[in-house]
Each structure stands twice: as structure tokens, then as C-alpha cells.
């Protein structure tokens, strides 16, 4: 349909991604194929994969995921949206990264800049840790300063602030930063 708006394209892509995910899950169950279950993570990891399906992303044990890096995907992919919503650094659309890393490699993922460094130097590690800490402090200070302000236009019109969440794990942040609802 030619009159369809550009804004519908990402939604259609996510819908197709969801349908493909369901198809793949059914095929794996029927074939008896075992794959990694991201809900069983017991240590902190950077997940590097060709792509993450919506169901795999939903199963993430957030407390053990330091970052995500995928070969496929874009800013409107389910992985990118969920990672952003959960505050997990992520870079998607890296083409062949999953073929170039091995289990045990040290990986830096800078989601703000779209940078992934495999086996960084100690200087790189120190620099990125410092940048992360500074960024987190700055964001925390900004949010703390704004938390108690009323959402109001310059002419006095009051606006309620509600959070748009994907997962229940986001609820503590909603409360912490003063949203008035979901």
C-alpha cells in the first residue's frame, strides 16, 4: 500500500521478526534441538550473537548481561529496543562479529558510540571504565535533579508523566525516577 507511513516500517519489521521467532522455536522443539537458554546465565557476560530473537531477548537474566552485540539488527530491532529499555549497552548490525570472537574474549561495548572492541588493551579498559562511570554519574545527577519537578508547560498546563516499559524489570526505575504511571 503506497500511502503507508514510514513510521509503520519498523513496526512491520518487528512483527515479521516475531513471526520468524515463533516459527524457529517450533522447529527447534520439533527437532529436539538444544540451544543456549539466556534465562540460565549464572555469571556476568557480554552476549555476542548473529542475532537475538524476541523470545531470547525476553529471557535475558538482566543481572548477568553486561552488554549485547549482534551481527544483525538495527535501531528499531527488538534487541535494540529492549536493550535500551533495560539500560543494557548494545551495538547491533555488526555483520560478522560473532564469527570473530571466542568464548573468554574480553569485550568492550560502547552502546552510546556504537563501538565494540575485542580484547582491548589495559589502557582502553581503563579509559572506557572511566567514561562509563562519568556517564552514569552525570545521568544519575540529571535524573535526581529533575525527579521532583512537575511536568508543566511554560503557560502552566500540567502534563502527567508515564513510563513506556517493555518488561517488569523496569518498574523499579519507573518508581525511582518519579514517573506517575505506566
Amino acid at each position: 500500500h503506497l500511502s503507508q507511513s514510514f513510521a509503520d516500517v519498523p513496526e512491520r519489521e518487528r512483527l515479521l521478526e516475531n513471526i520468524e521467532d515463533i516459527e524457529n522455536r517450533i522447529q527447534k522443539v520439533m527437532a529436539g534441538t538444544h540451544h543456549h537458554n539466556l534465562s540460565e546465565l549464572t555469571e556476568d557476560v557480554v552476549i555476542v550473537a548473529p542475532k537475538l530473537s524476541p523470545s531470547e531477548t525476553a529471557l535475558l537474566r538482566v543481572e548477568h548481561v553486561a552488554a549485547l552485540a549482534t551481527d544483525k539488527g538495527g535501531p528499531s530491532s527488538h534487541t535494540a529496543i529492549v536493550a535500551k529499555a533495560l539500560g543494557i549497552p548494545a551495538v547491533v548490525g555488526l555483520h560478522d562479529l560473532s564469527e570473530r570472537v571466542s568464548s573468554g574474549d574480553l569485550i568492550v561495548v560502547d552502546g552510546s558510540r556504537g563501538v565494540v572492541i575485542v580484547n582491548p588493551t589495559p589502557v582502553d579498559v581503563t579509559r572506557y571504565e572511566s567514561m562509563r562511570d562519568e556517564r552514569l554519574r552525570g545521568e544519575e545527577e540529571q535524573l535526581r535533579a529533575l525527579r521532583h519537578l512537575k511536568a508543566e508547560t511554560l503557560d502552566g498546563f500540567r502534563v502527567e508523566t508515564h513510563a513506556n516499559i517493555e518488561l517488569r524489570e523496569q518498574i523499579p526505575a519507573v518508581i525511582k525516577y518519579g514517573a506517575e504511571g505506566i
Side-chain angles (χ1 to χ4, degrees):
H1 193 270
L2 294 176
S3 66
Q4 184 173 14
S5 73
F6 180 74
D8 293 337
V9 174
E11 187 175 324
R12 181 183 303 134
E13 288 173 1
R14 282 192 301 278
L15 177 63
L16 292 174
E17 186 178 20
N18 287 337
I19 292 170
E20 181 182 303
D21 180 32
I22 292 168
E23 178 184 342
N24 289 335
R25 289 176 65 195
I26 290 170
Q27 288 177 350
K28 287 176 184 175
V29 168
M30 291 177 70
T33 307
H34 177 73
H35 66 286
H36 294 289
N37 186 340
L38 299 177
S39 68
E40 298 173 354
L41 294 174
T42 58
E43 59 185 78
D44 294 350
V45 296
V46 172
I47 296 175
V48 178
K51 71 176 189 172
L52 289 174
S53 69
S55 61
E56 290 170 322
T57 307
L59 290 173
L60 291 175
R61 297 260 326 255
V62 177
E63 67 272 17
H64 291 301
V65 178
L68 301 171
T70 62
D71 297 342
K72 296 184 179 176
S76 64
S77 69
H78 192 83
T79 300
I81 291 168
V82 171
K84 183 174 183 176
L86 295 174
I88 298 172
V91 180
V92 298
L94 294 166
H95 306 291
D96 64 348
L97 178 71
S98 67
E99 297 172 13
R100 296 185 285 121
V101 299
S102 300
S103 183
D105 282 347
L106 181 61
I107 301 174
V108 169
V109 177
D110 182 346
S112 298
R113 295 181 180 172
V115 172
V116 174
I117 303 173
V118 180
N119 295 318
T121 66
V123 171
D124 286 334
V125 170
T126 301
R127 187 177 82 225
Y128 275 96
E129 285 176 345
S130 176
M131 286 171 35
R132 177 199 61 210
D133 294 345
E134 185 177 320
R135 186 177 307 126
L136 289 174
R137 265 192 313 276
E139 288 174 3
E140 188 72 30
E141 287 173 14
Q142 284 180 329
L143 291 170
R144 205 176 11 249
L146 298 173
R147 178 180 179 198
H148 299 291
L149 294 177
K150 289 183 180 178
E152 193 173 273
T153 62
L154 292 175
D155 64 354
F157 183 78
R158 175 84 167 91
V159 179
E160 285 188 14
T161 55
H162 291 235
N164 182 7
I165 67 171
E166 296 264 340
L167 302 167
R168 70 174 175 256
E169 288 84 358
Q170 294 173 274
I171 292 173
V174 169
I175 295 167
K176 180 179 180 180
Y177 296 115
E180 297 169 283
I182 296 175

